[in-house]
Amino acid sequence: MWLAFRVGAWHDLRAGHPVLDDPFSPRVWPGERRVRAEVVARLLLSGPPAVAGRVPALKLRGVLITGTLDLAGGQIAPYVELQGCRFENEVVLPESRFTTLRMIGCAIPRVEAARLHTEGDLHLPRCRVDRGVRLSDAQIGTDLLISQIHVEPDRRGQAIVADGLSVAQDLQAELVEAYGEFSMRGAKVGGSLSLRGSRLRGAEGRRALNAPQLSVERTLYMTYAWVSDSVGGPGDSLGGTPPYGLGDVHTPMRGTRMRPFECHGGVRLDDGRFQDAVDLRYSRFLLSSARKEELSMRRIVTPELRFTCERPEEGRVVLNGAKVVTLVDQAASWPGPGGLALHGFVYENLVPYGPFPLTRRLEWVAAATPEYSPEPYERLAAVLRATGEDADAREVLLAKQRRRRETLPLGAKLWGYVQDLAVAYGYRPGRAAVWMAVLWAAGALAFSRYDPVPIKDDEAPHWNAALYALDLLVPVINLGQEGYWLLTGPWQWMSTGLILVGWVLATTVAAGASRLLRRS
C-alpha cells in the first residue's frame, strides 16, 4: 500500500470472486485483507513523497480498514479513492480538507463529515451506511454524488443530514434508499439537484425530506429513473460506473423498468429558490393525514413547476404564497377537497399535461378553498384572460360569485339567486336581452287586449300596447306612453310587475357592465 501510494497505483486486495469480494455480505474477510485505520491516516496526513515523475494517491480495492479512520481537521492533499472496501468503525472527517474523495460501493458504519471541504468531488455512490451520514455545512468544490447509497438512520431518526451544505456544481442523489430523514435545510446547489428514482422514508416524528430555504441554480428533479434488476450490481448498466450517474433517459433499454421517486412521509421545500424548474413527474408521495404530513412548497419561487405526480391519497399539498411563472399540471395529480391549499399562489401560465377541462379546473380551485376565498378564482380568471380565453374567464368569475353567495345572509342570498337567474351576475348579458324580449312580448300581447282610460283626454297619446310595455320595462328612458293611462285591477298589478322586473334587469346588467369596465 505504501509503495502503491508513492506511484499513485491501485492497492488491490480482492479475492477475485464476486461473493468473496462483496463488502455487504456477512462473510468475514481474512486477516491479509486488513489495514489499520491509523496507518491509512498516517499515509494521508504525512505520507512519503511521490516517486519522481508520479503523483501520489491512495487507491484501495477490497480492503478491510480496522479501527476508526479519524482525519478530523486534517489537510489531505493526495487523491483518495476506495472501492468495495469495508470499514470496521465510522469515518470521521469534520473540518478536514480534501482535493477529491471517492468512496464507492463501501460498507461504512457512519460518515461524520460536518464542515468538510473539498476542492473537487465528493463521491459516495452505492455505499451502505448503518448509522447515517452527516454533511452539515460541508463545502464541495465541484460535484457531490451519492447515487444508489443505502442509509439507515442515526439515533435521532436522520439518515442524511446536509444542513447548510454548499455544492458548487451538481448534486446527484439518484436511486437513494434512505430510512430516515433527508435534511437539507438552507443548502445551496450550484447546478441541478437530482433525486430521480430515490426512496425516502421518514422515521417516526420526522419528515422524509426536510429542505426549507433550499437554493438550486438549475432544476430540482424528483422524478422517475429507468433501472434494471441488476442496478447497483456487477451487471449494472445504468449509473453503475461512477461518477456519471443516470442522467435523463428518454429511451429505456430492454430489460429496464421505471422506478418513480417515492417519499414515505412529509416533504418540506418552503422558501426554496429554483432557477429553472421543480420537476415532479411520476413521483409518489405517501403521506399520512393522521400525522398531518404535507408536501409543503410554501413561498417557493421557480420559473416552472411540473406537477404531474401521482395523486396523494392522504395528507395535503400546500402551495401557499408560492410564485411560479408556468404551471405544468394534470387533473389526475391534484388531491381533492381538504387536501390542497393555494392561498396566495401566483402563477402566470397554465400548461395542462393531458385533458384538463374547465369544470375540473374549477373543482381544483374549490378543493383549495374549503372556506370561500376570492383570490384563487381571480388568479385563474386573470391567467385565462391573458391567454385569450375570455369565455372561460367569465365562467370562473361566475363560479366565484356563486361560491360567495353561499356565505351571504338570507336576503342577500335571495338577491344573488335573482341576479344569477336573470343575467348570471352580468357575465352572461345576452340572457338579459332574452328576458327583456320575452317580457316585452308578453306585456305587449296582454296590453293589446286592454283598452285603458286616459287620465286626461286632451293630453293622452295614441294607445300603443307594445310601446307601453317597453316603456314600463326600460327604466329612466321615457317613450311617451307611461303616465298617461289609468289602469285598474290586475292591469295595474301587471304594470307594476313589469316596472320592478325592468329595474332588476337594469341593475344586474349595470353591475355586470361595471365589472367588465373594471376588468378592461
Side-chain angles (χ1 to χ4, degrees), residues 1-7 11 38-40 42-44 46-49 58:
M1 182 177 69
W2 212 263
L3 293 174
F5 173 83
R6 295 189 66 191
V7 298
H11 182 57
E38 60 188 56
V39 176
V40 175
R42 181 181 174 185
L43 187 62
L44 290 175
S46 55
L58 180 64

Side-chain angles (χ1 to χ4, degrees), residues 125-126 147-148 174-175 231-232 236-246:
R126 290 185 284 173
S147 295
Q148 301 176 40
E174 298 166 347
L175 299 174
V231 68
D236 181 13
S237 58
L238 287 177
T241 305
Y244 303 106
L246 298 178

Side-chain angles (χ1 to χ4, degrees), residues 335-363:
L340 181 60
L342 299 175
H343 180 70
F345 177 39
V346 177
Y347 51 94
E348 298 179 15
N349 304 296
L350 283 173
V351 181
Y353 188 79
F356 207 144
L358 183 62
T359 53
R360 296 294 299 276
R361 188 65 76 179
L362 290 173
E363 292 173 4

Side-chain angles (χ1 to χ4, degrees), residues 198-264:
S198 293
R199 291 175 178 169
L200 310 181
R201 299 169 177 85
E204 186 66 30
R206 292 278 185 179
R207 295 179 176 88
L209 178 60
N210 186 24
Q213 298 180 341
L214 174 64
S215 176
V216 179
E217 288 300 316
R218 295 184 64 188
T219 299
L220 169 61
Y221 294 100
M222 299 167 69
T223 64
Y224 63 93
W226 292 104
V227 299
S228 64
D229 292 334
S230 61
V231 68
D236 181 13
S237 58
L238 287 177
T241 305
Y244 303 106
L246 298 178
D248 196 357
V249 181
H250 296 288
T251 305
M253 291 179 286
R254 181 176 296 179
T256 61
R257 56 188 169 81
M258 188 182 76
R259 174 169 151 174
F261 168 81
E262 284 187 5
C263 258
H264 298 252

